[in-house]
Amino acid sequence: MSGFLRYKKILDLFSEERSSWTVLEISKSLKTPSSTIYRIVREMVTAEFLESASGSYFRLGPAFIKFNRIINFSDPLVRAGQPFLKKLANENPITSVNVLARLYGNNVMCVADYKSPSFKKNTSYQRGKLMPLMNGATSRAIIMQITGKRLENLIKLENFKSDEDKNIFLKDLKSDKKKGYCFTEGQVDKGLIGFAVSISNKKLGIEASLSSIFNLDDFLLEHEPIIYANLTTYGLLVEKYINEIFDDIQKYHHETNSIR
Amino acid sequence: MSGFLRYKKILDLFSEERSSWTVLEISKSLKTPSSTIYRIVREMVTAEFLESASGSYFRLGPAFIKFNRIINFSDPLVRAGQPFLKKLANENPITSVNVLARLYGNNVMCVADYKSPSFKKNTSYQRGKLMPLMNGATSRAIIMQITGKRLENLIKLENFKSDEDKNIFLKDLKSDKKKGYCFTEGQVDKGLIGFAVSISNKKLGIEASLSSIFNLDDFLLEHEPIIYANLTTYGLLVEKYINEIFDDIQKYHHETNSIR
DNA sequence: CTAAATTTCTCATAAATTGAGAATTTTGAA
DNA sequence: TTCAAAATTCTCAATTTATGAGAAATTTAG
């Protein structure tokens, strides 16, 4: 184990389910002597990526909160999309959860969310949450932008039960792509339905989606055209804002480079 | 430069003001050859701590969003305090920003915030934001828990203009400590006033504060007792919940250790 | 298509990490 | 407070890894 991986392996132990670890537990888990782990953990505590908690336990440190904030204020997708989620929620005909998500390695991650105050159910769609790659409209509207070798690789990871399943998925994806939006029912949370459109910006390397999730019970067929209209309108708006942010960044870098 | 510092120095370049860097810029800034930086950046991109943006620029990666989420769902202070911020806002007699903050190295960091919907001004109190160490009620309610050598060290860092300034500060701190709460006016943002109480849990290593920030213009003397009553009540409630969370964690670790 | 910019690769040298075990410090129960 | 157990730091020779100059390859943009 070397380089950054040495540190990442430790961080990756920390999860929602298990958020504090002792050095000895880490040492056991990574099959690495405790004197080594003590040294590494100390380094990470100094850097505030870990912090000591009660007893001999350590937990994730405040550095993550700090950097998360910087992303929140600077990530083009979050900056461009975040302000529209509430508006989208207010214009939807029924209560909804509205989500901006993006590709994160081999998963889809929610990067911003807004839930109507009256939305009752707890959903899987929360900022920072990893979502399944191929299930749910949110994810599909992202996957449908991916082509060629990258799509193949992602599909390999998914391990479809049969070739038939895989072909159905690909066919659905193709038809969604043609329509320009995705719809799924209960693929992520039972009793919920999702609608999504793609968000992309090649120059900024953004492959994302904007989606609205509803309670199946609330949904009537007559809502559908309004939902699509909203998503499409706001999707385009978000893309427009991303472009403007891109231009700002360009201008900024141009200025700072001239000063050099 | 060695160990984790090598990576941290690169991450620390990224800020709200300057959120994307090229390898060559990093290389110049850290006075390190570009072939070395290319290698390190590549490692960090693999780990999703950085990601490539437009052109040859890199930005902070989604790993921070992921770990931030884990903290949000597991940090005892955030878990215990977050749910009360809205309630506190609703019970305050005038619109307010309500903040949970904690010591972060040599700064105070806001870890959760809730602003009344009708609060107009933009404030410096937002999750992840670093606050001045000695200014503002939010920070003072934290500092007033610190004693001995640690307090001395923090004071040294603050570089008071004169011994007189320092003594006034210490005297104020002492009297706040006696009263059990802090009040400051315009120390962080002009036109705003802040009230704060301490939150602490020795076993969990928590040195924090709960505070309410108001517009000076809205404030009447008759509000004061209500504000203090609210802060004190909720402060104790948060501490009680932190204790319960501590017990849960203990129980959990006990269980997982028995299984071993 | 082409030149410039970006990124990766190579490899000898220099530097940092490793880990067993000893030494020290901290913790918590009596 | 006292004391043993637990947690943490320290030491240092052996081993592994990082470094960086420059060459080579790849990508980008006009």
Side-chain angles (χ1 to χ4, degrees):
Chain A
M1 200 173 14
S2 69
F4 195 69
L5 197 64
R6 178 169 28 143
Y7 303 100
K8 187 173 185 285
K9 278 219 169 179
I10 292 180
L11 293 173
D12 282 341
L13 291 175
F14 293 80
S15 67
E16 205 180 323
E17 291 76 30
R18 183 105 161 73
S19 59
S20 49
W21 290 74
T22 67
V23 168
L24 255 36
E25 288 168 351
I26 297 172
S27 160
K28 252 191 188 177
S29 182
L30 300 183
K31 298 187 177 67
T32 306
S34 58
S35 60
T36 301
I37 302 294
Y38 271 114
R39 189 167 7 85
I40 297 180
V41 165
R42 198 183 334 143
E43 274 189 89
M44 295 174 83
V45 169
T46 304
E48 323 234 40
F49 277 66
L50 290 178
E51 66 178 9
S52 77
S54 66
S56 46
Y57 283 91
F58 291 86
R59 60 170 112 91
L60 294 172
F64 290 103
I65 303 182
K66 190 182 104 183
F67 285 112
N68 174 70
R69 177 176 189 275
I70 296 174
I71 292 175
N72 227 353
F73 279 89
S74 62
D75 181 291
L77 178 61
V78 179
R79 272 175 65 192
Q82 179 110 271
F84 291 117
L85 293 180
K86 194 176 174 178
K87 291 184 190 172
L88 179 56
N90 290 338
E91 293 184 20
N92 273 335
I94 46 179
T95 60
S96 56
V97 181
N98 299 273
V99 169
L100 267 178
R102 49 160 285 183
L103 207 56
Y104 169 75
N106 298 318
N107 291 283
V108 167
M109 189 173 73
C110 168
V111 292
D113 64 301
Y114 181 83
K115 199 196 269 196
S116 315
S118 52
F119 197 93
K120 295 145 226 153
K121 279 192 196 157
N122 281 325
T123 67
S124 308
Y125 300 87
Q126 307 145 333
R127 180 165 208 270
K129 183 75 182 271
L130 296 181
M131 310 300 297
L133 190 60
M134 308 284 177
N135 285 317
T138 305
S139 297
R140 279 168 177 249
I142 297 171
I143 302 303
M144 85 191 187
Q145 306 168 45
I146 316 290
T147 54
K149 202 112 211 150
R150 280 187 65 206
L151 179 60
E152 273 175 48
N153 287 334
L154 290 176
I155 285 174
K156 257 179 215 156
L157 288 165
E158 187 64 9
N159 274 325
F160 281 99
K161 275 175 206 149
S162 65
D163 270 8
E164 204 187 338
D165 278 9
K166 186 177 134 185
N167 287 333
I168 291 173
F169 174 80
L170 285 173
K171 206 179 141 195
D172 285 353
L173 206 65
K174 211 172 176 178
S175 99
D176 283 348
K177 212 167 162 177
K178 213 170 173 180
K179 283 187 296 181
Y181 58 77
C182 293
F183 165 78
T184 60
E185 185 180 324
Q187 287 192 350
V188 178
D189 293 308
K190 290 247 161 97
L192 299 182
I193 56 174
F195 296 82
V197 295
S198 299
I199 305 264
S200 74
N201 184 300
K202 218 180 169 187
K203 286 187 181 175
L204 280 166
I206 290 172
E207 291 152 335
S209 74
L210 175 66
S211 53
S212 294
I213 291 101
F214 307 92
N215 285 305
L216 179 56
D217 295 343
D218 298 343
F219 179 70
L220 300 174
L221 256 180
E222 65 203 63
H223 297 142
E224 207 169 308
I226 310 169
I227 292 168
Y228 286 133
N230 287 347
L231 275 176
T232 310
T233 311
Y234 280 110
L236 290 173
L237 214 49
V238 172
E239 285 190 334
K240 191 188 131 207
Y241 272 80
I242 292 175
N243 261 318
E244 282 178 22
I245 289 170
F246 176 75
D247 291 344
D248 283 356
I249 294 172
Q250 290 290 86
K251 209 187 287 169
Y252 178 84
H253 284 307
H254 193 265
E255 277 162 18
T256 48
N257 285 344
S258 322
I259 291 163
R260 254 198 279 153
Chain B
M1 197 169 22
S2 68
F4 195 69
L5 197 65
R6 178 172 23 148
Y7 303 102
K8 186 172 185 288
K9 279 219 167 178
I10 292 180
L11 292 174
D12 282 342
L13 292 173
F14 292 80
S15 67
E16 206 180 323
E17 293 74 32
R18 184 107 159 73
S19 60
S20 49
W21 290 74
T22 67
V23 168
L24 255 37
E25 288 166 352
I26 297 172
S27 159
K28 255 193 186 175
S29 182
L30 301 183
K31 296 187 179 64
T32 305
S34 58
S35 61
T36 300
I37 301 294
Y38 270 114
R39 189 167 8 85
I40 297 180
V41 165
R42 202 186 326 146
E43 272 189 273
M44 295 175 83
V45 169
T46 304
E48 323 235 39
F49 277 67
L50 290 178
E51 66 177 9
S52 76
S54 66
S56 46
Y57 284 91
F58 291 86
R59 58 170 115 92
L60 294 172
F64 290 103
I65 303 182
K66 189 183 103 182
F67 285 112
N68 173 70
R69 176 175 190 277
I70 295 174
I71 291 175
N72 228 352
F73 280 89
S74 61
D75 182 292
L77 177 62
V78 178
R79 271 176 64 192
Q82 179 107 270
F84 292 116
L85 294 179
K86 193 175 175 179
K87 291 183 188 170
L88 180 55
N90 289 337
E91 292 184 20
N92 274 334
I94 46 179
T95 60
S96 56
V97 181
N98 299 274
V99 169
L100 267 179
R102 48 160 288 181
L103 206 57
Y104 169 75
N106 297 318
N107 290 281
V108 168
M109 189 172 75
C110 167
V111 293
D113 66 301
Y114 181 84
K115 198 196 271 195
S116 313
S118 51
F119 197 94
K120 294 144 222 151
K121 279 190 197 159
N122 281 325
T123 67
S124 307
Y125 300 87
Q126 306 146 334
R127 178 163 210 273
K129 182 77 182 271
L130 296 181
M131 310 299 297
L133 190 58
M134 308 284 178
N135 286 318
T138 305
S139 297
R140 278 165 178 251
I142 297 172
I143 302 303
M144 83 191 188
Q145 307 169 45
I146 316 290
T147 55
K149 202 113 213 147
R150 279 187 66 206
L151 178 60
E152 273 176 45
N153 287 335
L154 289 176
I155 285 173
K156 256 179 213 154
L157 287 165
E158 187 65 7
N159 275 324
F160 281 99
K161 276 174 203 150
S162 65
D163 269 6
E164 203 187 336
D165 279 8
K166 188 178 134 184
N167 288 333
I168 292 173
F169 174 79
L170 285 174
K171 205 178 140 196
D172 286 353
L173 207 64
K174 212 171 173 178
S175 98
D176 283 349
K177 213 168 159 175
K178 215 168 170 182
K179 283 187 296 179
Y181 57 76
C182 294
F183 165 78
T184 60
E185 184 181 324
Q187 287 192 353
V188 178
D189 292 309
K190 291 243 162 99
L192 298 184
I193 56 173
F195 298 83
V197 295
S198 300
I199 306 266
S200 74
N201 185 301
K202 220 180 167 189
K203 287 189 181 174
L204 280 166
I206 290 173
E207 291 152 336
S209 74
L210 175 66
S211 54
S212 293
I213 292 104
F214 306 94
N215 285 305
L216 179 55
D217 296 342
D218 298 344
F219 179 70
L220 301 173
L221 256 180
E222 66 203 60
H223 296 142
E224 209 170 302
I226 310 169
I227 291 168
Y228 287 133
N230 286 345
L231 275 176
T232 310
T233 311
Y234 280 109
L236 289 173
L237 214 49
V238 172
E239 285 189 337
K240 190 189 131 205
Y241 271 80
I242 292 175
N243 261 318
E244 284 179 19
I245 288 170
F246 175 74
D247 291 342
D248 282 356
I249 293 172
Q250 292 289 87
K251 208 186 290 171
Y252 179 83
H253 283 308
H254 192 266
E255 277 163 18
T256 48
N257 286 343
S258 323
I259 290 161
R260 253 200 274 152

